[in-house]
Amino acid sequence: MSNVPQHAPELRVAAQHLGRRRFLTVTGAAAALAFATNLPTAGTAAAAELDARKITNDPFTLGVASGDPLPESVLLWTRLAPTPYETGSGLPAERVEVRWELALDERFKRVVRRGTTTAHPEFNHSVHVEVDHLAPGRVYYYRFRTGSWVSETGRTRTAPAAGRHVPDLTLAAVSCQAYHDGYFTAYKHLAQDDVDVVFHLGDYLYEYAVTSVGGARKYTDRVLPDVFNRETVTLDDYRLRYALYKSDPDLRAAHAAHPFVVTWDDHETENNYADDTSENDDPPAEFLLRRASAYRAYWENQPLRRPQLPHGPDAQLYRRLGWGRLAQFDILDTRQYRTNQANGDGWKSPTPESEAASQTLPGFTQERWLTDGWRRSHALWNVVPQQVTFARRNNPAAGDTTLSMDSWDGYPASRERLLKGADAARVENLMVLTGDVHVSYAMDIKRDVDDPGSRTVGTEIVTTSITSGKDGSAKPSNWAGYLARNPHMKHYNGQRGYVTVNLGEREARADFKTVSAVTVPGAALTTAASFVTAVGDQGLRPA
Ligand code: FE
Ligand code: CA
């Protein structure tokens, strides 16, 4: 067991990996961030300890979470916030001692591990506990205490041992949860669903302003403070925005019920940014300061392990997890290292600029990491949870040759390098999990999308949004156009919800689950469509 973090943080910059221009901008951003947050520097006195008995309001308003299950380890998360919608969350800038327990049963009769950790003010009193030396493939229950306060109980699990035979696994994929677009009803249902692990594929929060009635939620029983009614830019802005999201009861229920494996897309920082290029081409030094704030708040508020802790504007978010011999998960970060969108972004016809070999979505280092990982994989299923649409999406309007420059269609050379790498590694059962587009798709990944007779090398399961885009409809106006112009697209639905995927030894099954509305609470869940793809014979068929 190790507590994260053990020590007050220092912002460090890996200068040896950076060019001079970038070094200067990153140093500027890191220095400004340190100034903005009053982080202690070497030699300053450590924060005092707060007597937890003096916390007079429930500090567990943001719930509990767990994440990144390993065979013998789980990561447990909470954040103390007696008044979550205020800067500082109603706690003085002092450390708070937090106790935690992990048990085999919900009633904590069989506690297998307990310990104490520290919530640091420098990390907004978030708590990240790595509990190690656990039994593989097992369900555990956990909770936190401080003073007289006890958190709700979370349920989590360890992954099966590496190399172990596992009959099946059910995962859920979710993305795009604009608070101001509606209620997180899909999460209420997901909390009750029988899944082993949830993958969050990005847009956990949106930087846009949230009105006092919660946008499309149209609250009549509460008034949200003005701090949310502006775009997030500073560290305090992002921290407060996580507090708004994390206080949602449906999101809390989903986190308490299942371990999450999270990765970000653009809106956790800013719409459609690419590396150090912001949406509106702000000076890179300025944007990297914003990125550092966004990345820092993300880590503080997610069940992430210590290797994912950002250093200034840089964070190692892409990582690999395994599930016995059944599955390898290569979780990508396609924002932090990408080259800028070609042709000025948006939907544009391909040009030499978009088709250039120098265009890369994950960055060349992450591309190699992924294809090397496939070469070494012994897993039956090679699953790639990531952000933007991987397979071609031809424009639904007849005769229109434009493609989305923000997705893999804007980086075709990068996609081709990965497909070549999958060929070389003889990856048999490739499945890409995608978010971002606020609709669900099921697509065959063709070796050559322009040749319908070419080999199907994998499948792409695109999950719709939790709320983004408001209610949506089962068949949007471009529904027939998309399906007609994309023979490899087997499913398209424009409602909100999530997808579950059962990975088995003979086939995988995807169930696309939708809610009828999100602008009113309490909608029912239905399974809109189900598909299977066979082991050794990729290609989607209706279940
Ligand atoms: Fe989104
Ligand atoms: Ca997005």
Side-chain angles (χ1 to χ4, degrees):
M1 185 275 296
S2 63
N3 299 334
V4 181
Q6 294 281 13
H7 307 290
E10 263 179 79
L11 289 165
R12 285 183 283 116
V13 176
Q16 66 274 23
H17 299 311
L18 304 170
R20 181 169 167 75
R21 184 193 69 89
R22 184 157 156 75
F23 173 70
L24 291 171
T25 59
V26 168
T27 305
L33 183 69
F35 175 76
T37 58
N38 296 318
L39 293 175
T41 51
T44 58
E49 191 102 14
L50 176 71
D51 182 346
R53 288 172 301 183
K54 290 185 179 158
I55 299 177
T56 52
N57 292 313
D58 180 8
F60 295 110
T61 55
L62 307 180
V64 300
S66 69
D68 281 23
L70 298 176
E72 295 183 3
S73 169
V74 294
L75 185 288
L76 310 179
W77 174 94
T78 192
R79 196 182 116 194
L80 307 180
T83 55
Y85 298 171
E86 288 172 19
T87 300
S89 320
L91 291 171
E94 292 171 29
R95 296 180 309 218
V96 183
E97 197 177 272
V98 178
R99 287 173 291 154
W100 56 268
E101 296 177 287
L102 189 86
L104 295 173
D105 64 306
E106 230 169 327
R107 304 174 74 185
F108 292 85
K109 297 230 183 286
R110 290 178 290 154
V111 173
V112 292
R113 207 65 53 78
R114 53 167 54 100
T116 302
T117 188
T118 304
H120 291 262
E122 297 88 348
F123 287 94
N124 209 202
H125 293 103
S126 62
V127 166
H128 296 73
V129 181
E130 286 180 38
V131 187
D132 299 329
H133 310 298
L134 297 174
R138 182 137 216 178
V139 170
Y140 291 97
Y141 297 86
Y142 62 96
R143 64 186 177 190
F144 298 92
R145 290 168 190 271
T146 194
S148 59
W149 301 99
V150 185
S151 76
E152 67 202 270
T153 294
R155 180 180 166 278
T156 191
R157 66 186 312 128
T158 48
R164 187 174 170 99
H165 165 89
V166 184
D168 78 323
L169 149 73
T170 303
L171 64 86
V174 296
S175 75
C176 294
Q177 51 195 52
Y179 186 96
H180 54 273
D181 271 1
Y183 290 90
F184 293 164
T185 312
Y187 274 130
K188 189 193 199 81
H189 294 292
L190 177 54
Q192 303 297 323
D193 212 334
D194 184 17
V195 304
D196 297 303
V197 59
V198 177
F199 287 88
H200 199 296
L201 305 175
D203 293 355
Y204 191 96
L205 64 66
Y206 284 71
E207 75 274 31
Y208 305 130
V210 181
T211 63
S212 60
V213 296
R217 295 188 177 210
K218 295 196 186 73
Y219 289 141
T220 54
D221 61 341
R222 77 197 83 171
V223 177
L224 296 181
D226 282 344
V227 291
F228 301 125
N229 205 354
R230 59 172 184 244
E231 186 164 329
T232 53
V233 178
T234 68
L235 180 56
D236 278 341
D237 292 340
Y238 287 107
R239 283 171 164 172
L240 284 163
R241 193 61 59 89
Y242 280 105
L244 176 65
Y245 279 63
K246 289 276 185 184
S247 63
D248 180 275
D250 297 333
L251 179 58
R252 278 178 59 165
H255 274 298
H258 312 297
F260 273 52
V261 177
V262 300
T263 184
W264 55 43
D265 192 21
D266 50 344
H267 287 288
E268 289 90 347
T269 303
E270 191 211 29
N271 180 51
N272 280 22
Y273 79 95
D275 190 359
D276 61 358
T277 304
S278 74
E279 185 180 18
N280 298 314
D281 295 314
D282 301 304
E286 219 171 89
F287 179 66
L288 285 173
L289 173 57
R290 182 178 182 181
R291 195 176 98 173
S293 301
Y295 285 11
R296 173 61 172 264
Y298 185 80
W299 189 87
E300 288 173 351
N301 284 283
Q302 298 292 4
L304 287 167
R305 292 175 187 271
R306 179 121 197 190
Q308 279 66 55
L309 177 63
H311 296 289
D314 300 303
Q316 173 72 47
L317 194 62
Y318 67 85
R319 59 205 190 277
R320 182 167 291 134
L321 296 172
W323 208 266
R325 277 189 93 85
L326 186 67
Q328 173 168 303
F329 298 103
D330 292 295
I331 300 116
L332 303 190
D333 171 0
T334 62
R335 282 290 159 193
Q336 193 177 173
Y337 316 102
R338 64 160 72 193
T339 49
N340 201 11
Q341 291 91 346
N343 306 326
D345 207 351
W347 282 70
K348 302 286 166 53
S349 294
T351 63
E353 186 190 342
S354 61
E355 294 187 336
S358 55
Q359 280 291 92
T360 173
L361 196 48
F364 291 99
T365 305
Q366 191 178 181
E367 282 183 16
R368 275 192 303 273
W369 169 86
L370 177 57
T371 52
D372 287 350
W374 280 338
R375 254 204 311 278
R376 286 195 293 268
S377 170
H378 298 292
L380 185 63
W381 293 95
N382 289 278
V383 183
V384 185
Q386 55 98 49
Q387 294 77 26
V388 292
T389 312
F390 185 80
R392 168 90 67 80
R393 275 184 309 150
N394 291 309
N395 195 298
D400 189 328
T401 59
T402 64
L403 302 171
S404 168
M405 293 294 111
D406 187 63
S407 72
W408 289 89
D409 281 339
Y411 301 78
S414 188
R415 176 171 57 196
E416 179 59 22
R417 285 190 291 272
L418 295 189
L419 290 175
K420 277 206 176 94
D423 278 350
R426 298 177 188 278
V427 170
E428 241 186 24
N429 301 296
L430 174 67
M431 179 176 284
V432 177
L433 301 178
T434 301
D436 179 53
V437 282
H438 310 169
V439 297
S440 51
Y441 300 121
M443 292 190 275
D444 287 346
I445 300 170
K446 305 298 286 185
R447 188 61 188 86
D448 175 4
V449 73
D450 291 318
D451 172 10
S454 82
R455 199 160 52 90
T456 298
V457 297
T459 55
E460 179 170 16
I461 303 297
V462 181
T463 186
T464 187
S465 60
I466 292 287
T467 53
S468 304
K470 303 182 187 162
D471 294 338
S473 64
K475 290 187 180 179
S477 57
N478 57 18
W479 185 85
Y482 259 116
L483 292 171
R485 300 206 63 211
N486 294 281
H488 58 289
M489 186 182 283
K490 309 299 176 188
H491 170 68
Y492 171 22
N493 179 296
Q495 287 174 302
R496 310 285 77 86
Y498 63 94
V499 61
T500 58
V501 179
N502 179 267
L503 298 172
E505 291 180 303
R506 289 159 177 261
E507 63 180 27
R509 174 192 174 103
D511 290 299
F512 291 90
K513 300 179 180 181
T514 56
V515 288
S516 52
V518 294
T519 54
V520 290
L525 187 79
T526 49
T527 299
S530 301
F531 290 86
V532 292
T533 180
V535 163
D537 181 21
Q538 289 282 279
L540 291 155
R541 292 176 285 115

